[in-house]
């Protein structure tokens, strides 16, 4: 059984829990995420699968995953990129780590990569990703204002804190 890392408010490991045991009101966990862009000023967004228990059908970053027991942020992002969208052989740039507090509390270590690839060249993991789309960054920011419910709850914070 996979266990998720639980940390304190300084991102120091304090234990592990099975996903079903996490108290999303008080536990802080770790996430790695990939912000993927192309040379046309677009970002690759992923629509979360309808079967997901958190934020099903919402659009968010191309890749994101919780850090499992014994994993580092760096190990996790490469694993998640391969699992969720079939992305391998790329070097990611490590970016900012942000602290998200709504609606769940976690540290998110960001990674960045620029790729010019057709959306259908990615291989989606069906139980994680329902759809992928290249979206203009300005268009996405406008839509976040007019239709925030389309996106994962942390999306506005992500855009603000990463200066996207």
């Amino acid at each position: 059984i996979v266990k998720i890392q639980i940390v304190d408010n300084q991102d120091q490991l304090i234990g592990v829990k099975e996903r079903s045991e996490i108290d999303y009101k008080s536990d802080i966990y770790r996430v790695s995420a990939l912000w993927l862009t192309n040379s046309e000023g677009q970002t690759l967004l992923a629509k979360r699968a309808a079967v997901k228990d958190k934020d099903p059908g919402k659009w968010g970053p191309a890749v994101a995953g919780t850090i499992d027991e014994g994993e580092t942020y760096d190990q996790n992002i490469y694993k998640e990129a391969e699992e969720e969208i079939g992305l391998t052989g790329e070097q990611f740039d490590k970016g900012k780590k942000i602290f998200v507090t709504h609606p769940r509390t976690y540290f998110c270590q960001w990674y960045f990569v620029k790729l010019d690839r057709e959306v259908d060249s990615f291989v989606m993991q069906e139980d994680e990703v329902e759809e992928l789309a290249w979206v203009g960054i300005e268009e996405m920011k406008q839509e976040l204002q007019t239709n925030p419910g389309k996106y994962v709850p942390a999306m506005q914070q992500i855009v603000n804190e990463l200066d996207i």
Side-chain angles (χ1 to χ4, degrees):
I1 293 180
V2 175
K3 295 193 173 188
I4 306 296
Q5 294 182 19
I6 304 299
V7 297
D8 65 15
N9 61 6
Q10 302 297 309
D11 197 20
Q12 299 301 306
L13 185 65
I14 55 174
V16 293
K17 287 187 177 183
E18 290 178 29
R19 193 177 291 269
S20 61
E21 297 173 334
I22 293 175
D23 179 349
Y24 289 102
K25 289 184 174 45
S26 63
D27 287 333
I28 304 171
Y29 56 101
R30 290 173 168 165
V31 171
S32 66
L34 180 65
W35 193 264
L36 209 153
T37 56
N38 65 19
S39 57
E40 295 176 34
Q42 297 173 313
T43 185
L44 188 71
L45 296 181
K47 186 176 186 181
R48 293 172 59 84
V51 297
K52 297 290 284 177
D53 63 333
K54 302 286 181 281
D55 309 319
K58 304 276 185 183
W59 288 88
V63 175
T66 50
I67 313 295
D68 296 339
E69 183 176 20
E71 263 185 338
T72 65
Y73 284 109
D74 290 354
Q75 291 166 331
N76 179 267
I77 194 59
Y78 288 99
K79 177 189 82 175
E80 294 289 342
E82 183 173 0
E83 286 177 0
E84 292 185 4
I85 63 171
L87 182 60
T88 60
E90 297 293 334
Q91 186 65 43
F92 304 150
D93 294 322
K94 194 171 189 173
K96 192 173 182 181
K97 187 193 300 178
I98 67 174
F99 187 56
V100 176
T101 58
H102 177 78
R104 294 169 290 281
T105 308
Y106 55 92
F107 284 94
C108 184
Q109 176 63 62
W110 282 93
Y111 296 82
F112 297 87
V113 68
K114 186 180 258 190
L115 286 179
D116 287 317
R117 279 178 55 172
E118 293 299 319
V119 78
D120 60 9
S121 72
F122 296 99
V123 180
M124 293 180 287
Q125 183 180 7
E126 286 181 18
D127 61 347
E128 293 281 341
V129 180
E130 191 171 299
E131 190 180 340
L132 291 169
W134 285 110
V135 178
I137 291 173
E138 291 308 313
E139 175 190 334
M140 177 203 67
K141 286 161 86 170
Q142 280 184 322
E143 198 170 44
L144 258 175
Q145 300 304 312
T146 58
N147 186 15
K150 177 178 177 177
Y151 295 94
V152 295
M155 199 66 164
Q156 187 65 60
Q157 181 183 354
I158 292 164
V159 167
N160 292 346
E161 292 210 33
L162 297 182
D163 294 323
I164 289 169

